[in-house]
Amino acid sequence: MARLAVIGASWGGMDAVARVLRQIEADNRLAIAVAQHRSPDTDGILVQFLGRHSTLSVVEADDKDVIEPGRVYVAPADYHLFVEGGTFALSTEGAVRFSRPSIDLLFESAAEAYGEELVAVVLTGANDDGCRGVLAVKEAGGLTIAQDPSTAERPEMPEGAIGSGAIDLVLPLDAIAVELNRLGAAERSRS
Amino acid sequence: MARSDLEALELRLLLDAVYQHYGYDFRGYARTSLKRRIWRRIMEEGLETVSGLQERILHDPDVFERLLVDFSINVTSMFRDPTFFSAVRDKVVPVLKTYPFVRIWIAGCSTGEETYSLAIVLREEGLADRTRIYATDINGEVLRRSKEGVFPVERMKDYTRDYLKAGGRESFSDYYKTYGDVVRFDPTLVDNVVFAQHNLVSDSSFNEFNLIVCRNVMIYFDRALQDKVHELFYESLVRFGILALGHKETIRFTGHADDYAELDSHEKLYRRLA
């Protein structure tokens, strides 16, 4: 199972995620899953936007999609995205702390499925989604990264993640991309 | 044994116990969501472990009934995905109009939002009088709520917006009456609806349908169970009958991928070929 990166973003997240993805190298062998808070009726717009900023193929995750390296999967609006084994699963269970997709649920399920092979990234946002998620990731031996709050459009979410005590690296967006490229290159030499 | 392995073992034992004692088979349900619902029940019963819940469930049928409700409720809304209901008007209704009598199966109707939405569309399209909808769910309590057609008044603003987006032609508020903080939908909307208990996992086909609607129900099943349910739907559709799935579901992975033509790929409307 190739390594997986999960990215959680909220307020200001579209531009932040795009900025990271734009710098991901085309032969990066990470699989990337993105949970971005947004209005339920933004069907497909985020995928199109991110697709324009990425050399990797960007898709909205379908239920039971097999997780493949070198692809970016976006949690569909108004669904929770879970990782189960090597596939995605979707759910329309109620919003968790007002959010669907919930970053916590993506991170927690991915932590269980990927353990040490997971890297979790918390970007800009004005709430505390992701806080519980990064704890699960850390506990399962994964790597945790938060955007440097002073560089975030809204600092609350990365601050919350850092405050949980489970964050390994605090980095600005461009350095996060560098880190993901480093991990993706290591993945290449492994496979 | 690691904690997560122990939990996996406890979950297996619980699902086996439920199956053997109550006859409900949840062993093919997708794990993450199932586990969340089980843990919610554990908390609400004031318990601490999956094994603890198993003990309670085996000795107190009321606890099992509550778990069954946890498993059957999927949070949805009226006219969820308005474009789907527009597609029903534009692409499905013309097909249904070619039949003298129409049978529709809403499989996994949960608390009824989708049933009422579809009933409204059929009435506006002049099809209600010659249509029978079979709205089924695994859980009797959920069906009872479905039948009542009572929903929170605070949702009506969103529902009205989505009703209009879905091509609604009337004043949405004519379909319900407000009683304090709830509304009750016009009971004649469901005059031609049969609410019945049916378990997709273990029950067989019970009729032939022109349209089967099963949106965001099978996302809670694992691949093997999804295959099995797709077999059931294929058997239950008339030739050229229509299958409607959720936006993020696909028949690509199932054994019947080649037995349907796409009627609308974005709306996940499929037509049985032969």
Side-chain angles (χ1 to χ4, degrees):
Chain A
M1 203 151 70
R3 189 173 278 171
L4 174 71
V6 287
I7 299 176
S10 188
W11 188 323
M14 270 177 84
D15 290 327
V17 174
R19 178 152 178 174
V20 172
L21 289 185
R22 194 159 51 219
Q23 300 174 72
I24 299 294
E25 290 155 359
D27 57 352
N28 191 309
R29 299 296 291 166
L30 289 175
I32 299 175
V34 178
Q36 162 73 54
H37 294 163
R38 60 200 189 278
S39 139
D41 53 3
T42 53
D43 203 18
I45 295 168
L46 181 63
V47 166
Q48 286 170 29
F49 174 76
L50 294 179
R52 281 204 300 277
H53 289 276
S54 173
T55 54
L56 306 180
S57 92
V58 181
V59 295
E60 233 174 47
D62 271 339
D63 184 49
K64 305 296 182 282
D65 263 349
V66 175
I67 301 173
E68 289 173 7
R71 302 194 79 174
V72 180
Y73 300 88
V74 176
D78 217 15
Y79 289 87
H80 293 303
L81 179 65
F82 298 143
V83 176
E84 274 182 7
T87 63
F88 289 113
L90 297 173
S91 151
T92 60
E93 285 163 79
V96 174
R97 282 172 289 278
F98 310 104
S99 300
R100 188 166 73 186
S102 154
I103 297 167
D104 282 334
L105 295 193
L106 171 63
F107 283 15
E108 285 167 3
S109 62
E112 183 171 339
Y114 277 74
E116 296 171 5
E117 302 297 310
L118 183 71
V119 49
V121 183
V122 177
L123 301 181
T124 171
N127 56 73
D128 69 348
D129 198 7
C131 263
R132 296 152 199 85
V134 291
L135 279 167
V137 173
K138 188 74 202 152
E139 199 178 321
L143 177 70
T144 52
I145 304 175
Q147 181 180 4
D148 179 348
S150 69
T151 70
E153 187 164 334
R154 289 298 297 254
E156 290 89 339
M157 208 163 82
E159 271 170 5
I162 295 164
S164 74
I167 290 294
D168 296 311
L169 302 170
V170 177
L171 302 169
L173 292 174
D174 295 353
I176 290 173
V178 169
E179 184 63 21
L180 294 180
N181 279 329
R182 190 185 65 75
L183 292 165
E187 202 56 37
R188 216 159 45 236
S189 60
R190 232 171 42 158
S191 58
Chain B
M1 190 183 262
R3 203 181 58 184
S4 61
D5 294 338
L6 185 61
E7 188 195 43
L9 171 64
E10 289 180 283
L11 284 167
R12 268 202 309 281
L13 293 171
L14 171 70
L15 297 180
D16 272 342
V18 164
Y19 178 52
Q20 290 188 33
H21 191 60
Y22 292 101
Y24 284 92
D25 190 355
F26 295 106
R27 295 172 298 178
Y29 274 48
R31 281 305 148 112
T32 310
S33 175
L34 189 76
K35 211 163 73 178
R36 280 176 47 74
R37 292 169 200 241
I38 287 170
W39 272 107
R40 195 175 313 142
R41 183 50 39 208
I42 291 169
M43 299 300 174
E44 282 181 22
E45 301 294 333
L47 302 166
E48 282 173 3
T49 61
V50 178
S51 308
L53 182 66
Q54 178 180 323
E55 197 260 330
R56 296 280 295 134
I57 277 176
L58 286 174
H59 295 283
D60 185 349
D62 291 344
V63 178
F64 173 67
E65 284 300 323
R66 293 198 283 274
L67 182 70
L68 198 53
V69 171
D70 295 335
F71 284 173
S72 349
I73 290 188
N74 297 311
V75 180
T76 186
S77 50
M78 289 186 77
F79 296 96
R80 180 183 166 111
D81 306 321
T83 55
F84 168 77
F85 287 94
S86 312
V88 168
R89 285 182 196 269
D90 298 342
K91 296 186 176 171
V92 178
V93 164
V95 174
L96 298 182
K97 279 188 170 164
T98 64
Y99 300 109
F101 190 77
V102 178
R103 274 189 299 268
I104 297 174
W105 179 11
I106 301 179
C109 67
S110 195
T111 38
E113 287 83 347
E114 190 168 53
T115 306
Y116 283 85
S117 306
L118 194 60
I120 286 170
V121 168
L122 294 174
R123 178 176 285 187
E124 293 185 6
E125 296 294 334
L127 261 175
D129 291 340
R130 55 186 165 111
T131 301
R132 179 151 296 150
I133 297 178
Y134 296 79
T136 67
D137 199 275
I138 183 177
N139 181 240
E141 166 62 18
V142 162
L143 281 171
R144 193 187 56 72
R145 285 193 222 171
S146 229
K147 224 178 285 187
E148 281 179 348
V150 173
F151 301 104
V153 70
E154 74 210 25
R155 303 299 307 274
M156 291 308 123
K157 198 172 145 229
D158 287 349
Y159 290 180
T160 304
R161 181 198 62 206
D162 288 343
Y163 162 78
L164 293 171
K165 272 195 204 163
R169 302 201 189 109
E170 309 291 330
S171 164
F172 189 61
S173 56
D174 289 349
Y175 287 113
Y176 60 80
K177 286 200 174 75
T178 306
Y179 303 91
D181 54 4
V182 297
V183 307
R184 171 140 200 247
F185 273 78
D186 176 1
T188 66
L189 281 170
V190 291
D191 275 350
N192 296 329
V193 179
V194 179
F195 291 95
Q197 215 162 339
H198 181 277
N199 188 341
L200 290 170
V201 180
S202 52
D203 292 340
S204 48
S205 177
F206 59 97
N207 215 324
E208 272 206 321
F209 299 95
N210 307 99
L211 168 65
I212 297 177
V213 179
C214 187
R215 297 165 71 226
N216 297 325
V217 174
M218 282 188 282
I219 55 177
Y220 300 107
F221 300 168
D222 68 18
R223 284 275 302 276
L225 181 53
Q226 287 184 350
D227 265 346
K228 195 175 152 190
V229 177
H230 271 289
E231 188 64 43
L232 173 65
F233 288 163
Y234 182 76
E235 281 170 17
S236 306
L237 277 174
V238 300
R239 253 182 175 204
F240 306 118
I242 296 168
L243 175 64
L245 302 177
H247 271 176
K248 306 311 297 172
E249 297 176 274
T250 172
I251 56 168
R252 189 163 81 230
F253 304 128
T254 73
H256 281 293
D258 298 330
D259 298 322
Y260 292 91
E262 281 181 349
L263 186 64
D264 186 318
S265 61
H266 181 255
E267 299 305 333
K268 299 295 159 67
L269 288 166
Y270 301 96
R271 202 156 180 201
R272 184 183 148 156
L273 286 173

